[in-house]
Amino acid sequence: MSVVHLPLPTTLARPAGARVGSDPAPGNHAAPGSRGQLVDRFGRVHRDLRISLTDRCSLRCTYCMPEQGVEWLAKSSILTTDEIVRVAGVLASLGIVEVRLTGGEPLLRRDIVDVVRRVAAIEGVAGPLEVSMTTNGLKLPELAEPLREAGLARVNVSIDTLRRGRFAELTRRDRLDDVLRGIRAARRAGFSPLKLNAVPMRGVNDDEIVDLVQFAVDNGAQMRFIEQMPLDPGHTWSRTEMVDAGEILDKLTQRFTLTPIGERGSSPSQDYLVDGGPTTVGLIASVTVPFCGACDRVRLTADGQIRNCLFAREESDLLPLLRGAEGQAPADDDAISDLLRSSIAGKRAGHGIDDPGFLQPQRPMSAIGG
């Protein structure tokens, strides 16, 4: 066993007195001739689109959704596949090159294979859009192959624990075996890299951090640990109780040799080789080492709202443009482009979690999309 204590890369640390996101990272600034792109007032060029396909989920993870009394979005407000494809096409013309499909649980959407096929066929400025997905994996045994054939490039499966009883308590569903089958199905379908996501929580699953990485190593997957963020339905999140990236690294380096892999740029994950590779582990330290300064994401919710930040408290409503308002015809693509640019132009420097006046978004994570 080799023990190497690795601090979080100092290049990601926020200078004393600097605002989060006030200094966009090199390589993500607007370039001459970028007038048609989605560029905010800090010069960040947006290339990554997150599309939430539904707010519904087949699990009830305690940090994401309440057990009962969930107020679902009205079915009439959910974007149709034609509307999703249209918005994605407009965004592709504005420089978006990558799309991640999220939820809720995206595989609950009955036409999910068609959604993937049509979005993956959209031509962007650098060729067809690259389409990936985050899922709980429950329906992958039946859908992994069709999704791969439809053009899905990558998949992330959420798995916070390897213990059946703990899984049932954490998700309020006894479905661990189904998730494991889904992971195996994703491997058989040829998804590579296959990534696994976990949210370490103190006193809940933080004793499994090493076990989860070993599971990933044994199964040809890449583990990603995500700091718990203030997006829980009960608004009980506490930074002092959060398991931060530094603590995760300390636990991992007692078992594995970790080697940092370059700069993360606009990626949310700082990645490390595990024992020389090829397996990697990634840390998404959105709270303690935020990547706001290089953020290139724009989010489309299942009910047609554009969000320029995961923690935004304001949204821009696309539905009136897509469907027409008060008897008017639907708007043209130029009007949609104008709304998209306006939303991105209003993006703040950072998520503001450390600000004294920070307020958690009204929507829980399940309604925003991962």
Side-chain angles (χ1 to χ4, degrees), residues 108-120:
L108 290 182
R109 184 148 178 150
R110 294 181 179 178
D111 62 347
I112 182 60
V113 175
D114 189 45
V115 172
V116 169
R117 181 179 294 110
R118 294 181 64 183
V119 174

Side-chain angles (χ1 to χ4, degrees), residues 53-358:
L53 299 180
T54 177
D55 62 329
R56 297 176 182 264
C57 190
S58 41
L59 299 178
R60 294 291 183 274
C61 297
T62 56
Y63 58 83
C64 184
M65 299 177 70
E67 183 174 10
Q68 297 177 341
V70 182
E71 189 173 335
W72 305 116
L73 295 171
K75 187 175 181 180
S76 61
S77 72
I78 300 297
L79 292 177
T80 66
T81 299
D82 286 344
E83 289 167 340
I84 290 169
V85 172
R86 185 183 180 196
V87 176
V90 173
L91 282 161
S93 73
L94 298 175
I96 291 294
V97 297
E98 180 178 354
V99 174
R100 177 172 292 275
L101 304 176
T102 70
E105 172 46 48
L107 295 184
L108 290 182
R109 184 148 178 150
R110 294 181 179 178
D111 62 347
I112 182 60
V113 175
D114 189 45
V115 172
V116 169
R117 181 179 294 110
R118 294 181 64 183
V119 174
I122 295 172
E123 287 287 333
V125 295
L129 295 179
E130 181 179 83
V131 183
S132 58
M133 179 184 293
T134 298
T135 171
N136 62 27
L138 297 184
K139 294 178 73 67
L140 281 177
E142 62 193 85
L143 289 173
E145 289 285 355
L147 288 168
R148 183 70 171 159
E149 293 172 1
L152 188 67
R154 301 190 316 279
V155 65
N156 287 35
V157 180
S158 299
I159 180 165
D160 295 309
T161 177
L162 299 170
R163 303 179 186 179
R164 184 172 177 177
R166 180 176 288 178
F167 185 94
E169 183 177 353
L170 180 58
T171 68
R172 304 185 179 104
R173 301 290 188 272
D174 186 10
R175 303 292 301 274
L176 176 60
D177 290 344
D178 295 323
V179 176
L180 297 177
R181 279 193 285 269
I183 291 171
R184 291 193 292 269
R187 286 187 61 194
R188 287 194 302 270
F191 287 107
S192 180
L194 171 60
K195 296 182 180 180
L196 308 178
N197 294 344
V199 178
M201 291 163 282
R202 195 172 308 284
V204 177
N205 65 341
D206 56 328
D207 57 341
E208 290 188 74
I209 289 171
V210 169
D211 293 341
L212 284 164
V213 172
Q214 188 61 57
F215 173 81
V217 170
D218 294 341
N219 287 274
Q222 318 290 346
M223 197 69 221
R224 296 291 179 269
F225 291 107
I226 305 169
E227 287 182 340
Q228 187 178 6
M229 294 176 281
L231 292 166
D232 58 300
H235 291 206
T236 60
W237 177 88
S238 168
R239 179 160 184 163
T240 58
E241 291 299 312
M242 181 189 71
V243 180
D244 64 36
E247 185 175 342
I248 296 168
L249 272 178
D250 285 342
K251 288 179 180 290
L252 291 178
T253 52
Q254 293 178 41
R255 169 61 179 83
F256 306 102
T257 297
L258 302 184
T259 307
I261 305 174
E263 299 290 337
R264 68 179 179 179
S266 61
S267 169
S269 178
Q270 174 63 54
D271 295 338
Y272 300 83
L273 287 174
V274 178
D275 292 340
T279 299
T280 65
V281 62
L283 301 180
I284 300 177
S286 300
V287 177
T288 60
V289 193
F291 62 100
C292 300
C295 180
D296 64 349
R297 296 181 180 181
V298 55
R299 297 174 183 274
L300 174 63
T301 67
D303 58 344
Q305 305 297 312
I306 290 293
R307 297 177 64 90
N308 56 28
C309 175
L310 179 61
F311 295 94
R313 292 181 62 82
E314 307 84 18
E315 299 176 331
S316 299
D317 191 357
L318 278 173
L319 279 185
L321 299 183
L322 293 170
R323 300 179 179 180
E326 299 179 1
Q328 298 179 353
D332 60 19
D333 287 355
D334 287 341
I336 293 175
S337 296
D338 288 344
L339 184 144
L340 293 168
R341 288 197 185 94
S342 175
S343 175
I344 296 302
K347 187 170 183 171
R348 297 177 181 176
H351 53 46
I353 290 176
D354 287 331
D355 295 344
F358 173 78

